[in-house]
Amino acid sequence: MDETWIYQFDPEPKSASMQRRPSSPPPKKAKVIQSSGKVMLSCFWDCDGIIMTDYMEKGKTVTGEYYSGWLKRLRSDIARRRRGKLRSGVLLLHDNAPAHRARQTVETAERCGFEILPHPPYSLDLAPSDFCLFPNLKKSIKGRRFEDITDAITAVEAWFQAQSDTFYSQGLLKAKDRWEKCVTQLSDYVEK
């Protein structure tokens, strides 16, 4: 599980559209900024794909109570979409955000039968969403200008649906490799 911001317009960086002409100066470019229209995507996924998404409006906050409600909803979605997986056990990997560490969240996860995997603070290198899912998603929508935030959400959901069967499982296999590297390096930073 992880969260990221989805913008109504997120421009490509200047470097992405650079033109290389050795004999002439580079063209002048206006600075383009992200739109203020944004929504926070919260995404639960496994090796078979997306289990559950939630979109929170700008200005709202994920609290322990709110996140606990997601975990309860997640349990019912797993029971419905991933038959038999609850019996074999659910490992939950999320970062150390305050809502994820809240006592109410931990108690709800235990009641749901989820085992929370430990996640060292400031370890982006261990969050599969940060090196697999979200960078690829953002690359696909970067530079596109959506009419409204609902169109941006529709594009995100379409991208999730368009991924191959192996995309999600390969992302989690990379996470396993990163965990092993982290353990062998005694929790030092893992670059690649």
Side-chain angles (χ1 to χ4, degrees):
M1 185 281 167
D2 212 344
E3 300 104 354
T4 191
W5 286 108
I6 302 296
Y7 293 90
Q8 194 171 331
F9 176 65
D10 192 7
E12 288 184 329
K14 287 183 181 181
S15 61
S17 63
M18 253 182 2
Q19 299 171 354
R20 304 234 186 250
R21 288 185 231 142
S23 61
S24 61
K28 298 224 185 245
K29 295 192 178 204
K31 183 175 182 178
V32 183
I33 59 171
Q34 292 172 325
S35 70
S36 60
K38 65 181 182 177
V39 65
M40 180 179 283
L41 162 66
S42 298
C43 181
F44 289 91
W45 61 287
D46 66 3
C47 62
D48 295 324
I50 302 298
I51 300 171
M52 184 177 89
T53 58
D54 188 74
Y55 297 90
M56 181 179 275
E57 298 172 12
K58 177 177 133 182
K60 294 198 175 182
T61 306
V62 177
T63 63
E65 181 179 350
Y66 194 80
Y67 190 69
S68 292
W70 283 348
L71 292 179
K72 291 173 189 171
R73 198 173 112 207
L74 174 65
R75 189 178 197 303
S76 65
D77 279 8
I78 291 173
R80 188 170 34 90
R81 296 180 184 198
R82 306 285 195 269
R83 296 194 186 279
K85 293 235 175 165
L86 285 174
R87 279 192 303 271
S88 56
V90 174
L91 301 175
L92 181 62
L93 174 62
H94 55 206
D95 58 23
N96 291 320
H100 302 167
R101 294 186 326 254
R103 184 172 39 98
Q104 181 177 8
T105 299
V106 173
E107 289 171 358
T108 301
E110 287 174 2
R111 278 195 305 277
C112 289
F114 301 158
E115 179 184 343
I116 298 176
L117 294 173
H119 191 279
Y122 311 111
S123 287
L124 295 176
D125 48 5
L126 296 180
S129 299
D130 290 334
F131 64 80
C132 169
L133 187 64
F134 293 152
N136 290 309
L137 166 64
K138 295 229 176 166
K139 197 182 310 176
S140 77
I141 61 174
K142 196 170 246 343
R144 292 174 56 188
R145 192 177 299 271
F146 298 103
E147 195 66 33
D148 57 22
I149 204 66
T150 305
D151 288 346
I153 291 170
T154 301
V156 167
E157 293 293 329
W159 185 85
F160 285 149
Q161 292 295 319
Q163 299 316 298
S164 70
D165 293 343
T166 59
F167 174 79
Y168 298 100
S169 59
Q170 288 174 347
L172 289 176
L173 284 174
K174 289 177 189 172
K176 178 183 173 274
D177 294 340
R178 283 174 178 248
W179 271 79
E180 288 171 355
K181 281 182 185 177
C182 187
V183 168
T184 59
Q185 293 180 10
L186 302 174
S187 299
D188 279 349
Y189 180 76
V190 176
E191 185 116 358
K192 296 220 179 213

